[in-house]
Amino acid sequence: MANVLANVPKTAKKGDTVEIKALIMHPMETGFRPGTNGRIIPRNIVEDFSATWNGREIFRMKMSPAIAANPFVSFFTVATESGTIALRWSGDEGFVAEHRVAITVT
């Protein structure tokens, strides 16, 4: 399981713009770098990141090998209703990580 740090407000007023920040611990190997034994380290990157609010997509991002290790993402959305924000990363070697955060909208 990947380590995820997410900064999502616990509460917001309806119509407010909220910032969501997320960091995932991942090596992001490009597939071009040699290891200590001289062999190329196999490619292992996070390819997709998405965020949903109560199942509706609010943000999507494609990543490439040029993204640094431990990618950090920050984006804004409008608070519409209470529920769950789900952050999901997927990538090479069947990698999938998901983190869910509850938010209350008043």
Side-chain angles (χ1 to χ4, degrees):
M1 183 69 176
N3 286 335
V4 173
L5 295 174
N7 186 346
V8 178
K10 292 182 187 331
T11 62
K13 290 183 181 176
K14 189 170 186 164
D16 279 358
T17 300
V18 295
E19 183 176 18
I20 297 171
K21 299 176 186 178
L23 174 110
I24 187 163
M25 304 304 285
H26 193 278
M28 297 295 279
E29 285 295 342
T30 64
F32 299 113
R33 190 169 67 94
T36 55
N37 62 2
R39 292 186 183 168
I40 298 297
I41 299 170
R43 180 182 132 133
N44 182 11
I45 68 167
V46 173
E47 295 176 323
D48 294 297
F49 169 77
S50 64
T52 59
W53 192 316
N54 289 339
R56 285 189 307 260
E57 188 171 86
I58 56 172
F59 185 82
R60 176 172 291 279
M61 177 181 175
K62 284 287 218 190
M63 296 187 197
S64 69
I67 300 289
N70 309 319
F72 172 78
V73 177
S74 176
F75 62 94
F76 295 88
T77 190
V78 176
T80 56
E81 62 187 357
S82 296
T84 302
I85 296 173
L87 308 171
R88 186 176 194 274
W89 296 261
S90 61
D92 292 342
E93 300 179 10
F95 175 79
V96 176
E98 190 168 290
H99 185 77
R100 295 176 176 270
V101 180
I103 185 168
T104 302
V105 177
T106 57

